[in-house]
């Protein structure tokens, strides 16, 4: 079981939009609409930001949105704010009834 | 509001067994449709799912850990536990417990995490 592939880092200026990709296979991302995204600030536990590809939990800003095409899922953050600077991880359910995370992407707000 | 809290030794000797417990408060661990999982994060690295358990006791494990890991549940105490045997320095990590929906990748909420160092 291999980790999902994410870019190591992305950056953007305040107010801009950025997109983080998460590439898997036809056995995980491509097979189900069960992709989630997590935000993790240093020293803190991950926080669920998106689930089931596009859904936002209550309390999560609508600046965060998710999408999927084939074996690749994406997280878009619009109107970047300083507080968005964090690590972001994707996760997917797999056809082996296991769960897999991406390697993580460090977002820097310039 | 559901809360999870990890507990256990912060230091484990190489070749020994790592044991952690996750205590669930604000809700029942026997709720249907929910799984209870363990995820770890080595220092400076990404998240890695270890395994999950359903209240019935059914378990799912990451293939890389299958020979070394046991996850169990104690409904009377509203707790679930992780045991990882034959540990090495590579098992040094922050270990998180989290609830997730059946089949989905919706892990929430998470515990605060418990740092376990494997060293003499």
């Amino acid at each position: 079981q291999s980790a999902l592939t994410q870019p190591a880092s992305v950056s953007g200026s305040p107010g801009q939009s950025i997109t983080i990709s998460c590439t898997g296979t036809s056995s995980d991302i491509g097979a189900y609409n069960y992709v989630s995204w997590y935000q993790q600030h240093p020293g803190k536990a991950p926080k669920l930001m998106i689930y089931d590809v596009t859904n936002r939990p209550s309390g999560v800003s609508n600046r965060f949105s998710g999408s999927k095409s084939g074996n690749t899922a994406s997280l878009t953050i619009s109107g970047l704010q300083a507080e968005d600077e964090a690590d972001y991880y994707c996760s997917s359910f797999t056809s082996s009834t296991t769960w897999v995370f991406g390697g993580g992407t460090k977002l820097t707000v310039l | 509001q559901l809360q999870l809290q990890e507990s256990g030794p912060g230091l484990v000797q190489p070749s020994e067994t790592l044991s952690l417990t996750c205590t669930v408060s604000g809700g029942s661990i026997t709720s249907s449709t929910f799984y209870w999982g363990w995820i770890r994060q080595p220092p400076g690295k990404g998240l890695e799912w270890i395994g999950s358990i359903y209240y019935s006791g059914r378990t799912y494990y990451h293939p890389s850990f299958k020979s070394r890991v046991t996850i169990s549940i104690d409904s009377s105490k509203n707790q679930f536990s992780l045991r990882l045997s034959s540990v090495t320095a590579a098992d040094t990590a922050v270990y998180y417990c989290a609830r997730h929906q059946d089949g989905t990748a919706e892990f929430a909420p998470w515990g605060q995490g418990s740092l376990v160092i494997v060293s003499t």
Side-chain angles (χ1 to χ4, degrees):
Chain A
Q1 175 172 308
S2 299
L4 305 173
T5 300
Q6 299 180 231
S9 63
V10 298
S11 62
S13 300
Q16 288 185 331
S17 295
I18 64 94
T19 297
I20 299 171
S21 63
C22 172
T23 301
T25 69
S26 57
S27 296
D28 39 62
I29 291 177
Y32 308 95
N33 287 324
Y34 293 144
V35 178
S36 295
W37 289 90
Y38 300 86
Q39 176 191 65
Q40 186 180 36
H41 286 110
K44 300 295 187 182
K47 174 187 176 184
L48 179 68
M49 305 301 283
I50 296 287
Y51 67 95
D52 294 352
V53 179
T54 62
N55 296 324
R56 277 189 313 275
S58 174
V60 172
S61 171
N62 59 10
R63 298 185 298 105
F64 291 83
S65 62
S67 63
K68 190 188 88 166
S69 178
N71 297 338
T72 298
S74 298
L75 172 71
T76 297
I77 308 174
S78 59
L80 266 181
Q81 299 179 359
E83 67 204 48
D84 299 332
E85 185 162 295
D87 293 327
Y88 291 84
Y89 294 91
C90 58
S91 179
S92 175
F93 178 66
T94 83
S95 60
S96 301
T97 315
T98 59
W99 287 264
V100 63
F101 285 89
T105 298
K106 181 178 180 61
L107 169 62
T108 300
V109 179
L110 302 172
Chain B
Q1 157 193 3
L2 192 77
Q3 292 185 315
L4 288 75
Q5 176 70 59
E6 305 88 352
S7 60
L11 181 64
V12 180
Q13 302 280 330
S15 79
E16 298 290 302
T17 296
L18 178 159
S19 296
L20 292 172
T21 296
C22 182
T23 300
V24 178
S25 59
S28 174
I29 203 168
T30 60
S31 297
S32 60
T33 77
F34 289 120
Y35 278 74
W36 306 90
W38 287 98
I39 303 100
R40 76 179 187 179
Q41 184 171 36
K45 296 188 178 181
L47 301 170
E48 184 174 37
W49 175 75
I50 300 170
S52 297
I53 189 166
Y54 193 51
Y55 79 93
S56 64
R58 182 166 191 173
T59 54
Y60 297 97
Y61 298 132
H62 189 295
S64 297
F65 298 101
K66 215 161 190 175
S67 62
R68 300 195 291 137
V69 68
T70 302
I71 296 176
S72 58
I73 197 164
D74 187 337
S75 301
S76 66
K77 295 182 179 179
N78 229 32
Q79 296 176 332
F80 63 105
S81 299
L82 169 72
R83 288 174 58 86
L84 184 65
S85 64
S86 305
V87 297
T88 69
D91 294 308
T92 293
V94 174
Y95 286 77
Y96 295 99
C97 58
R99 184 187 73 173
H100 64 98
Q101 297 272 1
D102 182 12
T104 77
E106 185 184 344
F107 289 84
W110 294 60
Q112 66 183 28
S114 179
L115 174 62
V116 179
I117 297 173
V118 179
S119 176
T120 55

